[in-house]
Amino acid sequence: MTLEPQPLAPALDAAEKAGWTTVRLDLDGVRGKAELMRACGDALRLPEWFGGNWDALADALRDLSWLPDGGRLVAVTSWREFARARPGEWGTLVEILEEAVDFWAAAPDTAPDAAPPLAVVLAGAAGRGPRRHGSGVP
């Protein structure tokens, strides 16, 4: 799975219609890893055990027990400035998000034709058509 920018409104509408939990990870003003981890913790409502590091974020995204059952959509917004300013950290975040989506897509209780319980959307330009790229957006 590869995350590519796509319009946010269609993904949010589809998730809402499917009864998914939606989470907006807004990276506006995030300047470094510590701020990124706080933003992830706040947006995803991560449990107290979240250690604020890459491994803990990866572990948390493979758990999700603190969020309601069913589909979950993580919409990453205002990410372009962070991606330009911190390309290494951005690359690590994208890798963790992709791995989490792939993990949930391969979960044993995910039916072959069903959307996996986790999808991630990078908010992109409104003029581009929606792309699903295995993200599981209903």
Side-chain angles (χ1 to χ4, degrees):
M1 186 212 104
T2 302
L3 297 176
E4 291 189 28
Q6 58 184 302
L8 184 56
L12 291 175
D13 289 343
E16 182 180 317
K17 287 177 185 171
W20 283 31
T21 299
T22 58
V23 175
R24 189 176 297 229
L25 174 57
D26 185 6
L27 300 185
D28 186 37
V30 173
R31 303 284 183 249
K33 182 181 172 186
E35 290 178 20
L36 175 63
M37 292 296 143
R38 277 192 298 279
C40 288
D42 292 346
L44 297 167
R45 301 180 293 268
L46 296 175
E48 288 184 28
W49 58 258
F50 174 62
N53 59 57
W54 296 123
D55 289 337
L57 181 59
D59 290 345
L61 289 171
R62 286 184 177 95
D63 181 347
L64 300 179
S65 61
W66 62 92
L67 290 175
D69 286 338
R72 297 129 175 144
L73 174 67
V74 177
V76 184
T77 61
S78 303
W79 55 271
R80 293 179 194 276
E81 184 178 330
F82 182 78
R84 276 191 295 272
R86 306 297 288 240
E89 291 170 354
W90 172 249
T92 301
L93 176 62
V94 168
E95 182 179 328
I96 288 170
L97 293 171
E98 288 176 335
E99 288 174 359
V101 169
D102 290 344
F103 170 84
W104 285 104
D109 57 347
T110 302
D113 295 333
L118 177 67
V120 176
V121 175
L122 300 182
R128 295 179 62 183
R131 298 185 188 167
R132 291 194 168 69
H133 297 288
S135 65
V137 176

